[in-house]
Amino acid sequence: EFLHETGAVNIETCTRPLGEQSIPSMIKLGFIALALIALILPLTILQARYTTYDYPRIHPIPDMDFQSKFKSQTESRFLFADRRIMRPLIPGTVARGELVEDMELATGITGATIEDATSYEIIEGTEPDWLNHFPVEVTPELMARGQQQYNIYCVACHGASGDGLGLVHQRALGLKNMEKKPSSLDSGKTIETIWTNPPKYTDEKILTQPLGKLYNTITNGQAKMPGYRAQISTEDRWAVVLYVKALQRSQLGATDSGTPSQSQHSTDH
């Protein structure tokens, strides 16, 4: 009617089929193919991320992964006359963080020198002038740190209370008279395990030791006890000394007769 009103000369009626219109199958297949192609890259990356290979992976951005370098214990005929790649330290070299500035703190010896700080043991027959005071500030935090380090490194042999009855000591006593199993070469004999009993902290020999000597024992070891300079830092070793003196005080009480004078400063804190 609208077309007639506008003066159309000839009108042809066109009908469309009823029902849902659908995308042609060729177009559908094209979309599916494109989707599958788009999945190839992320699936490949996912597989490379979670799969183990026997050969190096492809590095689109190599950065410094494959830089030219020499490995340890190798040689070169061009760089140095002795052909060694690993070079010795330049005389006087000090590793970062290992400069010894406080000799008494590092050694536990009054008036210590750099030689004392770099040595690993005290010469037999000599007795240095051991420190009789703490070169660090005695605080509750230092005590707590000493207890933590003691429970990690010392309690196994010396026991939680310093009585020398730690689990390692108890195990050694159990093995001391262990019978040897019969064999074709030797049978029925008894062997004895060589074991040095850890001393009690309340022994007179330990009670009367200066603080510096206790520190030196922790640092360099004594008899069967190894040194712990590599495992425990300087400040933490002094913290362990503080905790050892606290254990002595807890066992003997706070009287002057029961606690040596050199431990009074530490235990009062």
Side-chain angles (χ1 to χ4, degrees), residues 29-265:
L29 292 176
F31 279 122
I32 293 174
L34 289 175
L36 293 175
I37 293 173
L39 286 174
I40 292 177
L41 181 59
L43 290 176
T44 302
I45 296 175
L46 186 65
Q47 180 192 25
R49 178 66 180 83
Y50 295 101
T51 304
T52 302
Y53 295 91
D54 295 330
Y55 52 87
R57 297 176 178 175
I58 299 175
H59 281 59
I61 305 176
D63 293 329
M64 299 179 68
D65 294 342
F66 302 106
Q67 62 176 316
S68 300
K69 60 182 180 296
F70 291 101
K71 295 184 177 181
S72 302
Q73 306 297 340
T74 57
E75 66 174 354
S76 172
R77 293 180 294 175
F78 306 103
L79 295 181
F80 304 101
D82 58 9
R83 298 188 178 184
R84 294 190 303 174
I85 293 301
M86 300 177 64
R87 310 307 303 164
L89 294 178
I90 299 174
T93 299
V94 177
R96 178 175 294 182
E98 296 186 8
L99 178 63
V100 180
E101 297 180 301
D102 190 335
M103 299 300 175
E104 293 186 351
L105 174 69
T107 63
I109 301 173
T110 302
T113 63
I114 187 64
E115 288 77 13
D116 298 321
T118 56
S119 63
Y120 289 88
E121 60 182 356
I122 302 301
I123 301 176
E124 186 177 356
T126 63
E127 193 69 19
D129 185 11
W130 299 111
L131 281 181
N132 211 16
H133 63 275
F134 283 94
V136 293
E137 182 182 3
V138 177
T139 62
E141 291 75 18
L142 187 69
M143 178 71 76
R145 181 64 177 175
Q147 181 181 22
Q148 179 195 47
Q149 295 296 295
Y150 180 90
N151 290 336
I152 293 173
Y153 296 102
C154 313
V155 74
C157 290
H158 292 280
S161 63
D163 56 6
L165 300 179
L167 294 178
V168 173
H169 173 64
Q170 297 179 36
R171 175 63 174 166
L173 292 181
L175 296 175
K176 192 170 184 180
N177 295 317
M178 181 183 65
E179 290 186 0
K180 188 176 182 181
K181 293 183 178 180
S183 65
S184 58
L185 298 178
D186 190 11
S187 62
K189 291 186 178 180
T190 301
I191 60 172
E192 288 191 3
T193 302
I194 300 175
W195 174 250
T196 302
N197 298 344
K200 296 180 180 179
Y201 292 153
T202 54
D203 291 347
E204 186 67 21
K205 179 181 178 181
I206 307 299
L207 282 173
T208 56
Q209 282 189 10
L211 300 178
K213 189 168 185 178
L214 289 174
Y215 170 83
N216 179 75
T217 300
I218 298 172
T219 303
N220 300 315
Q222 184 177 4
K224 297 293 184 180
M225 173 183 166
Y228 286 89
R229 66 166 60 231
Q231 295 92 334
I232 309 177
S233 67
T234 300
E235 289 75 13
D236 285 352
R237 275 175 262 154
W238 282 109
V240 173
V241 173
L242 176 63
Y243 186 68
V244 168
K245 302 307 293 184
L247 288 178
Q248 291 176 339
R249 187 178 180 88
S250 69
Q251 298 297 311
L252 298 178
T255 60
D256 293 339
S257 60
T259 306
S261 60
Q262 62 264 29
S263 66
Q264 194 68 36
H265 173 73

